[in-house]
Amino acid sequence: MIINLENVFSGQQVYLTITMSGPSGTQEYSGVIPGGYAYYVPFEIVPPIYNGATYTAQVTACLVVNNAITPDCVSGSANYVEEDHPPATIVGTPYIVNSNNQEVTALPSNNTYRLVVSIENTGYISYTYTVEVSDSAGLISAQPMQVTVPAQGEATINVPIYVKPSNNPISDTITVSVYGDGYLDNSASIGINVLPSRPGPFTIVSVSTTILHEGEQNVITITLQNTGYTASNIEVTAVSNIASNVYAVPSTTQVDSGGDLTVTLYLTPTTAGNGVITLGLTYSWPFGSGVFIDTFKINVTVLTQLTVNLVSVDGTPVNALASINGQETNSLWVTPGTYVISVPGTVSISNDEQYVFDYWSNGYGTSTTITVNVNGPTTLTAYYIKEYYVSITDPVTGKSVSGWFNKGSTVNLPSIPPSISYNNGSRLVFQVGPAVIQHPRP
């Protein structure tokens, strides 16, 4: 502290009083000195430190005459602010940049960014400050960092910040604080929007069917849900090992967070059995140039048709059901494999008409029950012969023949004498030949 008495009571004795006052109390120093001089009074600030506190030095110099203090006095004062370190200020507004060094305020979560802060040292010595980052929503993670700033100079620090995962957009405020020796020097805040980490991914909610028919156009409806941020420019593709072409049609090209996307697939399977449809979904979002891809594998089963036709040898349909693995039906969609097929041996039409099984097509023989290996569309035909019930009686001899006979077959009548004599000069001559069965008798 400099006390200038060069123009005060030159050459005379002066009683000087120095009163130091501040938060730590008041101290007073006094003594007699010659006037007309400038005095340099050293002092040291010692703990406890009252950072930012104001101290006042009050100085009074009174003329001393004959060893007595006179009322002839002059006074002055000076203030100083106690600082434990050179104060720092944040220059401008801190800002955030992404991995492409682009300044951003919309931050997709589950990503790391850089917070850029410029700090000015307003003191007269170089000093190392601590920079800390916090936020109102608790979504920002950052470690304190130190930066050394030259006296009366500036320095810029890049603080890595990690934005924690968030399922919904959230408005947040980041606060940057600069500390010196544990004391807060300055702070600044910036507003940000924390976004879900990305659009999507999509998840499958439902699939309308996974059972398909070979050789027919099948339609599958798939519902997908967007679990992330809004997905735009949606495109879909689909391929399968059981169909040469699969056409995929999305219900829309943009789906908001939590929204549904319906994809309709059109395909005609050419191969029976177990198959896989691979669905590809590509999309983007407004906060970057990246393209996101989701892939789904949908397991399907393709059935093939097994048909059993029952017809007469002349092509007339026979009204009866076959049995396929114990199920009475003439047509069944089945998976590839081995099947036991049975047909009735006899199909009744009326009391005197019926169909009788004869043989199978495709060389499966004459048994009413066969085993067939099915790998694709299979049609089998069971052929039947039509039969009539025939009853013929000779009224003269009483001889008769009866039974079921195939249509078009010949019925041999019982042995009948060629003639019968009545012993009265007349006789009965039998002239009818073999009977051909075309239709039951009236």
Side-chain angles (χ1 to χ4, degrees), residues 360-403:
W360 288 97
S361 63
N362 303 345
Y364 279 100
T366 58
S367 173
T368 56
T369 299
I370 59 175
T371 299
V372 179
N373 188 30
V374 177
N375 291 311
T378 302
T379 300
L380 300 172
T381 302
Y383 288 102
Y384 283 77
I385 296 176
K386 193 172 189 180
E387 289 186 343
Y388 299 107
Y389 184 79
V390 177
S391 178
I392 302 174
T393 301
D394 178 12
V396 177
T397 63
K399 292 183 178 182
S400 65
V401 61
S402 63

Side-chain angles (χ1 to χ4, degrees), residues 222 224 234-239 248-250 261 263 265 277-283 292-298:
I222 304 169
L224 305 166
I234 296 173
E235 296 181 357
V236 293
T237 58
V239 295
V249 181
L261 171 69
V263 178
L265 303 181
I277 299 174
T278 302
L279 180 67
L281 191 67
T282 62
Y283 49 92
F292 301 86
I293 301 175
D294 294 340
T295 301
F296 307 94
K297 292 189 179 295
I298 302 167

Side-chain angles (χ1 to χ4, degrees), residues 188-247:
S189 297
I190 56 174
I192 62 170
N193 289 316
V194 177
L195 308 175
S197 61
R198 49 161 286 178
F202 284 76
T203 60
I204 292 181
V205 175
S206 64
V207 179
S208 62
T209 182
T210 57
I211 303 299
L212 311 180
H213 287 173
E214 182 185 11
E216 295 184 355
Q217 186 183 71
N218 293 256
V219 179
I220 303 175
T221 301
I222 304 169
T223 302
L224 305 166
Q225 186 177 61
N226 180 9
T227 64
Y229 199 73
T230 298
S232 305
N233 305 316
I234 296 173
E235 296 181 357
V236 293
T237 58
V239 295
S240 178
N241 62 338
I242 45 86
S244 57
N245 293 304
V246 183
Y247 299 97

Side-chain angles (χ1 to χ4, degrees), residues 112-399:
T112 300
Y113 303 86
R114 289 184 295 115
L115 175 62
V116 183
V117 186
S118 294
I119 299 172
E120 180 184 6
N121 178 354
T122 62
Y124 294 92
I125 61 171
S126 177
Y127 194 78
T128 299
Y129 301 94
T130 299
V131 179
E132 295 185 1
V133 178
S134 61
D135 72 303
S136 59
L139 292 173
I140 302 300
S141 175
Q143 296 297 319
M145 292 188 66
Q146 292 186 326
V147 57
T148 300
V149 186
Q152 299 288 297
E154 292 184 12
T156 298
I157 185 173
N158 290 265
V159 182
I161 62 172
Y162 171 70
V163 182
K164 301 174 185 177
S166 173
N167 293 328
N168 300 294
I170 296 176
S171 296
D172 198 1
T173 301
I174 291 180
T175 300
V176 183
S177 302
V178 179
Y179 293 87
D181 199 25
Y183 295 98
L184 175 64
D185 279 355
N186 199 208
S187 64
S189 297
I190 56 174
I192 62 170
N193 289 316
V194 177
L195 308 175
S197 61
R198 49 161 286 178
F202 284 76
T203 60
I204 292 181
V205 175
S206 64
V207 179
S208 62
T209 182
T210 57
I211 303 299
L212 311 180
H213 287 173
E214 182 185 11
E216 295 184 355
Q217 186 183 71
N218 293 256
V219 179
I220 303 175
T221 301
I222 304 169
T223 302
L224 305 166
Q225 186 177 61
N226 180 9
T227 64
Y229 199 73
T230 298
S232 305
N233 305 316
I234 296 173
E235 296 181 357
V236 293
T237 58
V239 295
S240 178
N241 62 338
I242 45 86
S244 57
N245 293 304
V246 183
Y247 299 97
V249 181
S251 59
T252 182
T253 59
Q254 178 169 309
V255 177
D256 293 336
S257 177
D260 289 344
L261 171 69
T262 300
V263 178
T264 305
L265 303 181
Y266 301 89
L267 69 159
T268 302
T270 56
T271 304
N274 295 323
V276 177
I277 299 174
T278 302
L279 180 67
L281 191 67
T282 62
Y283 49 92
S284 59
W285 69 334
F287 303 103
S289 58
V291 174
F292 301 86
I293 301 175
D294 294 340
T295 301
F296 307 94
K297 292 189 179 295
I298 302 167
N299 295 317
V300 295
T301 300
V302 181
L303 305 181
T304 191
Q305 194 168 28
L306 174 58
T307 302
V308 181
N309 293 325
L310 284 70
V311 298
S312 68
V313 292
D314 61 3
T316 302
V318 174
N319 186 20
L321 292 176
S323 171
I324 301 176
N325 273 11
Q327 182 175 345
E328 289 192 349
T329 180
N330 287 342
S331 183
L332 195 64
W333 289 97
V334 298
T335 57
T338 300
Y339 293 86
V340 176
I341 302 173
S342 298
V343 292
T346 302
V347 178
S348 177
I349 302 173
S350 64
N351 290 336
D352 50 11
E353 290 181 83
Q354 66 181 16
Y355 286 109
V356 177
F357 174 77
D358 191 15
Y359 67 96
W360 288 97
S361 63
N362 303 345
Y364 279 100
T366 58
S367 173
T368 56
T369 299
I370 59 175
T371 299
V372 179
N373 188 30
V374 177
N375 291 311
T378 302
T379 300
L380 300 172
T381 302
Y383 288 102
Y384 283 77
I385 296 176
K386 193 172 189 180
E387 289 186 343
Y388 299 107
Y389 184 79
V390 177
S391 178
I392 302 174
T393 301
D394 178 12
V396 177
T397 63
K399 292 183 178 182

